[in-house]
Amino acid sequence: MKYLPDEYDAKGQLRLPFLFWLTLLLLARTWILLVMAGASRQQGSDLLGLFYPDRQAFWLGLALGAPALIGLLLTGYRARWPRLWRA
């Protein structure tokens, strides 16, 4: 047996490791900051200016975090699109 029964969830799929989730959140941190800045309308620009004083670094962070964000969104569709998930 390759995997223990405890490593499966209620749907019969393998659980994703904790470090996978942590890595995706770390890579998508600019997107998370963008959502937080959008939620706090009055201090949003101050919050973005605090973490990203250079606007080019902010856009670069959004571009580099896009694959991680897509990975976070696709985790719910592992059973529907297995080929896409493997890619």
Side-chain angles (χ1 to χ4, degrees), residues 3-75:
Y3 298 106
L4 296 174
D6 293 338
E7 295 178 3
Y8 291 94
D9 62 1
K11 295 180 181 178
Q13 295 179 348
L14 281 172
R15 289 189 186 139
L16 296 172
F18 175 72
L19 286 177
F20 176 77
W21 292 107
L22 189 64
T23 303
L24 285 182
L25 287 176
L26 181 66
L27 289 172
R29 67 183 177 265
T30 307
W31 286 96
I32 295 169
L33 183 65
L34 180 67
V35 169
M36 288 173 43
S40 62
R41 296 174 190 238
Q42 296 172 347
Q43 295 93 7
S45 62
D46 295 336
L47 186 64
L48 289 176
L50 178 67
F51 287 102
Y52 291 103
D54 182 24
R55 289 194 181 261
Q56 295 297 331
F58 174 72
W59 293 111
L60 182 65
L62 285 178
L64 292 176
L69 185 68
I70 291 169
L72 279 169
L73 294 174
L74 285 179
T75 55

